[in-house]
Amino acid sequence: MPYIKNGDYGSAFPLEDKAVQYDPERWVSYRAFLKCIFSKDYKGAIIDFDLAQKIAPHIFVMDHSYSFYKGLCYLELKNLKKAEQNFLEDIKIQTKGDSIKNIHYNTLLYCGIVYYEMKNYKKAEIYLKKCLRQFPQFPDTNFYLAMINKDTAKEYKSYLEIAKKSFEEGYKQNEDNEAYAYYPHQITLHEVIQELEKAK
């Protein structure tokens, strides 16, 4: 992990490959996670997650299902249909058919982003607003809702102002490794400020 956190993937991955060689059931899903979040090797991550689904009985790594991470990979590869399928599968895994169970807010965020990228703004808004009900100060969710509401100047600006305030108060995705790597489609305070300048 020190190599990974310092961005020295050339030193880190041979060690991770050795771990997978000796104990694939334990380590292949973790290597897939590293490829998805750190080295941005999305095709390689999908291959590893598919392998992990065959050999590892558990379907979670770093607090999320394999389907969640595959959804991220397909989103970044611009295969939006596959991204949608995997995030919806992640929701099924989380809820186990119980519609009352809460869905992780980051799953809701990324479902919203997928539909936003598909230009299905109605569905995007549904998922993003569900996300906000759990986490009203989530900057990313407020930012993407602003993008959907660009035609409604008042709502557009108000969502951006919430995103800016939330950033300044320290709110973020709250993923364990967020300090070391940006998550797919994660937004920055700079992007929010740029959009606020346009909204003047």
Side-chain angles (χ1 to χ4, degrees), residues 98-109:
D98 184 350
S99 59
I100 297 172
K101 282 189 177 178
N102 271 345
I103 301 159
H104 195 288
Y105 54 81
N106 278 335
T107 300
L108 296 170
L109 167 69

Side-chain angles (χ1 to χ4, degrees), residues 129 132 142 145-146 149 155-163:
K129 285 189 171 177
L132 274 196
N142 282 288
L145 276 165
N149 284 283
E155 283 191 36
Y156 169 59
K157 193 171 181 182
S158 66
Y159 281 124
L160 289 173
E161 284 168 345
I162 294 167

